[in-house]
Amino acid sequence: MPFSNTTPSMEKQEKEEQKVKKDQRVYIDIDKLQAIDDCNEAKRWAKVSIYRVPPQVANLNPTAYKPQIVSIGPYHNREPQLMPMEEHKYRALYHVLRRSERDLDDFLGSLREVAQELMLSYEEIDQEWRDEERFLELMLLDGCFVLEILRASGKAAHDYCSNDPVFSVRGMLSAAYYILPDLLKVENQLPLLALEKIVSVERCTDLKPYECILALLRVTYNCTNCNTCPVELGKCLHILDMTRRLKIGGSQERMATVLQGLKPKPMKGATQLTKAGIIYKRSDEPNNFSEIKFQNGILYLPIFHLSPATESLLLNYVAFERLHPGSGQEISSYVKFMDGLTRSVEDAKLLASRGIIISASGSFAEVKDFIHKIHRDMNFVPKDNLYSVQHMIEAYYWERTRGWSRRFRDWGVHFKERYFKNPWSLIALLAAVFLLGLTIDQTIFTNLSFYKSR
């Protein structure tokens, strides 16, 4: 047996010392470190689609990201100010069960088939929602409420009383202002898969579950003029994602591959671009944010309607695009593009005069400040379609404003601003031209009379 200087008592002491050192680690938990699995980590993040908004983003407008009247999903469930709406969730579930003639277990059984996928859709879940049955009951209760709200707004639910405080025509007047915006908050989402499972058990329509939900959303959020079909829309993650894709006309992020190597230049303001003769018109699909085109000196733009509801909606769209990899950045790029066009209050006024910007408050300074605030710290995508439009505008501007062409155009713009902006200046100009014409005529007749007399 080989000789060893280590006695059993020394080995025991060393093990105790190592255990003490391990227990004394305050900042690094070795067990947590060893529990990390690269494969499982990648799979987990690939399934996440519903996030908590980081404080640095939420500070832009704290109320924009939090539900004001109803909680959907686990993040804000049972918050005191949202509790009054819980009663109406149970009423919605009751009507769904009665109308479909199915029982509670049928719906829970359908959701149980995809329980893990539904749970993994959330970035984080508190311990109380890790119980599968409790979580699935939440999905069913909130999912039925969402579907009944969408049906009521589209007048597809007829089995409620005419004086119902939520699901009647009268109730939807308040729902449109309070509840519908809450369904489009980043933190207040249900996986679309949960809604599809509920609709599939109901069997209340000949449409496929996905198409049924899409049809309800088109009516509820006034997307009826969006011509995108379900195939073009792609597989959506939740209601916020589906309405976002309807606003941009599909699932594909539009790339301008020819311009990938170019760096974006600062966008010129709308009034400055008019010096190159650029004019502004509404696009053919004024509610589609991707419908921005530049053709023959005309920039076609969708309507930018600023109100408390649209402000919250844009903030949540941009937040989702920041948080979800692979979602695309079409809305973010649109806001960035509009920020370049509205560098001043005069820019906002010009676009408003063309019917492109509409402000509920009537303040164009508010429009400019909001657009600038929302795009702060936003990364512009060089391959995005709007960058190619910006590049074309830039090329058109410099081509039309250089050399003698530039001087002539600047003189024309100055002449127009000086004499055509004020009606009295125009009258004075016309009077001066008329008097000059009379003077010239008088001079000509005087000279003719002189020569005839000789």
Side-chain angles (χ1 to χ4, degrees), residues 392-429:
M392 288 188 288
I393 292 172
E394 186 74 16
Y396 185 90
Y397 177 85
W398 287 111
E399 181 182 350
R400 304 272 291 186
T401 58
R402 65 187 178 189
W404 288 105
S405 174
R406 177 180 179 181
R407 296 176 189 176
F408 180 78
R409 190 167 299 279
D410 287 346
W411 178 83
V413 171
H414 176 73
F415 182 83
K416 181 179 178 181
E417 289 180 351
R418 180 171 181 179
Y419 294 106
F420 288 85
K421 198 170 184 179
N422 190 326
W424 293 109
S425 299
L426 178 61
I427 292 172
L429 174 65

Side-chain angles (χ1 to χ4, degrees), residues 52 65-67 70-82 86 129 185 187-188:
R52 287 193 183 275
Y65 304 100
K66 306 294 182 185
V70 61
S71 69
I72 301 297
Y75 286 163
H76 297 278
N77 187 266
R78 297 197 174 277
E79 290 184 359
Q81 72 276 15
L82 307 177
E86 293 299 307
W129 300 113
K185 304 292 177 73
E187 298 182 351
N188 216 37

